[in-house]
Structures are given as structure tokens and as C-alpha cells.
Amino acid sequence: MPAETDFHSPLHDDRVVARIGAWLGLSLSICFLTGLFSHYQQHPVGWLPLGPNPTWGYRVTQGLHIVTGTSIVPLLLAKLYSVYPRLFRPPQRSLKYLLEKLSIAVLIAATSFQLITGLMNVAQWYPWGFGFTGAHHAAAWLVIGGLLVHIAVKLPLIRSALAAALPDGVAPPRYGFDPDGATRRGFLIAVGAVTGGIVVLTAGQTVAPLRRLALLAPRRPDVGPQGLPINRTASAAGVTAAVTGASWRLELAGPTGTRSLSLADLAALGQHRVELPIACVEGWSAQARWTGVRIRDLVQSVGGDDRSAVRVESLETSGGYRVSTLPATFANDSRTLLATGLNGGVLHLDHGYPARLIAPNRPGVLQTKWIHRLTVLTEGAA
């Protein structure tokens, strides 16, 4: 194995390592926190109540999650290069050394897993046999745990390296030009430029002014039927025109009985219009105008109240989100609709015709399409 002294690059410098590490640590922390928000939106926990406000909450946090997650790729590669070959020093008999190496191993392995599977999820490619959300959530804790241990072990060195000035390449006249200083500064500028470029080319799927520059986004948020992209088409979901035609009925069940409602019946209940974003876990989001019946009005029509949650069932033939639960805080919000119209027209089949759910501050995977049954749950029901 080559010795550490065989590598004389000025980039293997504590000051370079510390600065890139600070950027990487910040990105990992933001990605972790926004990822937790997304996970607990999809898998609610009692100790973290999440509601419909602000309406743009999930849109911003998930967009930030994808942008920071993507920016981690060049930062991680730059960090690994700057510390090589110290990663392969001969083992030492020291608890501090063992903790340092263990934290680095966990951090690199878990972060690599998160990046690879996360980017594959954005591309909607799932060659593995495990559940993505559960594995991604578990690995996120390994990442943040490894990061915290690594920082704790290396904190004295990190503080001194960040406090030390980084030469700009110019030394006093008797020494002349310092190429090592210029190289270090140039490397940091290059890393920052690449990372910033990735952010700009990705953020447009969330930030409207940058939309034309969203070259790395898997889909444009303004391209698709009725001005919105499609993640899962009706054909892919096994939903055909035969089951969404004139014979379609919404089955509405609650404490006082059941109702069967056609599209004409829903229209007769009174239509409401709201402007809400649709935001997907892949990072894209877009504002849209929705028309439909308030969920809370449907809930009350079968004996529910403001404490009632709603089980939502789709015509999809399979899929992890074919059935979902709409918590009472969302069901009782006046902006939560059983939508039948989008952007001034009848809902397109790929957008969930004849009826879909739209609620503020909810992940797109929980904005169920092709709804055929709503069941009002009494307080405490699963």
C-alpha cells in the first residue's frame, strides 16, 4: 500500500479538509432534517403533530431536501479526495482512533447508500427488494450519528483548521509566488462552483424563477396534462376508462350510514375553488387551481365531525399508497377537497379523474388519485 508521504498534493491539507467538511456537514444536516419532515408526513407519529399550515411547507422542505441531497455528491467526493490517503493509515491502539475510524466508515457507507438510493428514487428506478422509505429513514440516523461522533472526535482539529488562514497564493517578495496556496484556494472555489451549479440546475423544479435552468431535474413542473407533470399514469396504475366512466360512483361511508354519489351528485353539493401546490417526493412542485367538494362537508354528511379522520381508497390495482389515511386536522380544513377539476378544466385521467384528493401541506404520494371510496373514521379508529 502506498505510504501517506507518497502523496504531496497541497490539497491534502487540514484547512482544506475542514472547510469542505463544514459545507458537507451543513448539507447533511439540512438534508437530514427535511428528510425527517417528509418521512413523518408519510408515516405520522403522535409526538410530532403536522397540520395543513403553511400550505407551502412540504413544497419548500422537500425541494430543499432534494437540492441539498444532490449537492452532497460533489462535496463528499471532494472531502474523500482531500483526506486520502489518511483514510488508510495503519491501525493504532487508541480508543479515540477507533472511534474516529468507525464513525468515518459508518458515515461514508450510510451517506453513499442514501445518495445512491435517493437519486434512484428520484428517477423512479427500484431494482432492490426492500422498502425505500423505511431503509432511507433508518440510514439517515446512521448518517447523522456518524457525523456527530466524527465531529466530537475531531472537534479540536476542526476548530484550529477553520481558524487558520488559507494562503491566497501570494507570499512576501523574498519567497515569491506560493503555488500551493493558490492550488488550495482554487480547489475550494472549484468545489463551491460545481456544488452551486448543481443547486441552480436542480432548484428550478421548486423555485419558479429558476425553472428554465432545471436541467438536472427529472421532470419540469410545468410540463404535462393541464400544466402539471405526471409521476404515475392511469395506465401504470391499472386504472382504465371502463372503471372511471358513467358507472363510477363514490362510496361514502360514515357513522350514520353510506352514500353512493355520482359526479353529478358531487357537482350538486356545491363546488369550491382553491389554489394549492402539488409537491412530490422527487422534489418537483407546482401551484395549481383545484375545484371540487370540501372533504369536511362529505364527512359531516355521513355523521362525522371535526375529530374524524378519513380512510381514502383508490381504484389503483396495487401500490403502497393505494389506501391512505387523511388525519382529522387535514380533513377538517376548508381547503382540503375531493377535486374533480384542475386549472379550469375537468380533471385529466392521469391526474386522477374522476376524483382525487388535494390537501394543503401534504406529500404528493398522499394526494390520492382515482378515489372510489371514503370511509369516515371515528376518533381513535385505525
Side-chain angles (χ1 to χ4, degrees):
M1 178 181 294
E4 184 177 340
T5 53
D6 293 339
F7 295 85
H8 302 290
S9 171
L11 304 182
H12 303 316
D13 184 288
D14 289 339
R15 293 166 295 181
V16 173
V17 173
R19 283 160 174 78
I20 295 177
W23 301 344
L24 180 59
L26 178 62
S27 293
L28 285 171
S29 299
I30 294 173
C31 198
F32 172 73
L33 293 174
T34 53
L36 283 187
F37 182 83
S38 177
H39 183 81
Y40 292 136
Q41 278 278 27
Q42 297 180 51
H43 307 278
V45 289
W47 54 266
L48 183 63
L50 296 171
N53 293 308
T55 60
W56 42 262
Y58 188 80
R59 180 182 194 179
V60 171
T61 57
Q62 190 61 15
L64 191 58
H65 180 71
I66 297 300
V67 168
T68 54
T70 307
S71 73
I72 288 170
V73 174
L75 291 176
L76 180 62
L77 293 175
K79 178 69 184 294
L80 290 176
Y81 177 76
S82 63
V83 298
Y84 184 85
R86 280 180 282 180
L87 288 174
F88 305 103
R89 281 176 175 169
Q92 301 175 14
R93 293 183 178 180
S94 163
L95 178 60
K96 179 180 178 181
Y97 178 84
L98 291 176
L99 284 175
E100 176 189 349
K101 291 306 178 185
L102 180 60
S103 68
I104 291 174
V106 170
L107 184 57
I108 293 175
T111 302
S112 299
F113 174 84
Q114 293 292 79
L115 292 177
I116 293 170
T117 58
L119 292 174
M120 291 168 74
N121 178 64
V122 169
Q124 297 184 323
W125 180 35
Y126 307 102
W128 50 74
F130 54 82
F132 170 75
T133 56
H136 208 62
H137 176 247
W141 286 103
L142 291 177
V143 171
I144 205 68
L147 178 64
L148 291 175
V149 172
H150 181 63
I151 291 174
V153 171
K154 304 290 287 186
L155 187 58
L157 179 59
I158 292 172
R159 293 178 62 179
S160 62
L162 288 177
L166 193 69
D168 59 7
V170 179
R174 69 173 184 156
Y175 296 111
F177 183 72
D178 176 13
D180 286 355
T183 300
R184 295 186 190 102
R185 185 171 293 274
F187 179 68
L188 290 175
I189 292 173
V191 172
V194 170
T195 304
I198 287 177
V199 168
V200 170
L201 297 178
T202 305
Q205 61 182 344
T206 300
V207 183
L210 298 176
R211 188 161 292 171
R212 293 178 179 271
L213 300 176
L215 302 179
L216 296 182
R219 54 190 59 82
R220 284 275 300 270
D222 56 348
V223 176
Q226 297 175 287
L228 290 181
I230 299 293
N231 273 14
R232 185 170 168 85
T233 65
S235 176
V239 178
T240 65
V243 296
T244 59
S247 63
W248 175 87
R249 295 293 184 272
L250 172 71
E251 299 300 323
L252 180 61
T256 61
T258 61
R259 301 179 66 184
S260 180
L261 303 172
S262 66
L263 276 175
D265 295 330
L266 289 173
L269 293 177
Q271 300 294 291
H272 298 271
R273 293 177 176 82
V274 298
E275 283 210 14
L276 289 175
I278 182 78
C280 284
V281 294
E282 290 84 1
W284 67 263
S285 61
Q287 193 81 1
R289 302 184 308 277
W290 308 90
T291 305
V293 181
R294 285 175 176 159
I295 291 291
R296 74 179 184 188
D297 293 340
L298 294 172
V299 167
Q300 292 169 4
S301 73
V302 289
D305 56 30
D306 59 5
R307 297 169 298 173
S308 301
V310 179
R311 180 182 295 119
V312 183
E313 298 180 47
S314 172
L315 288 168
E316 290 186 67
T317 55
S318 63
Y321 298 98
R322 188 183 69 81
V323 178
S324 64
T325 299
L326 182 68
T329 53
F330 292 92
N332 193 51
D333 192 280
S334 63
R335 297 160 297 182
T336 301
L337 301 181
L338 180 71
T340 55
L342 169 61
N343 287 339
V346 175
L347 201 63
H348 190 279
L349 180 61
D350 283 340
H351 282 308
Y353 177 88
R356 70 168 296 160
L357 179 68
I358 185 69
N361 196 29
R362 290 271 279 176
V365 292
L366 297 180
Q367 308 279 34
T368 309
K369 300 194 285 187
W370 310 292
I371 293 174
H372 79 98
R373 184 176 178 84
L374 297 176
T375 303
V376 178
L377 306 174
T378 58
E379 188 176 11

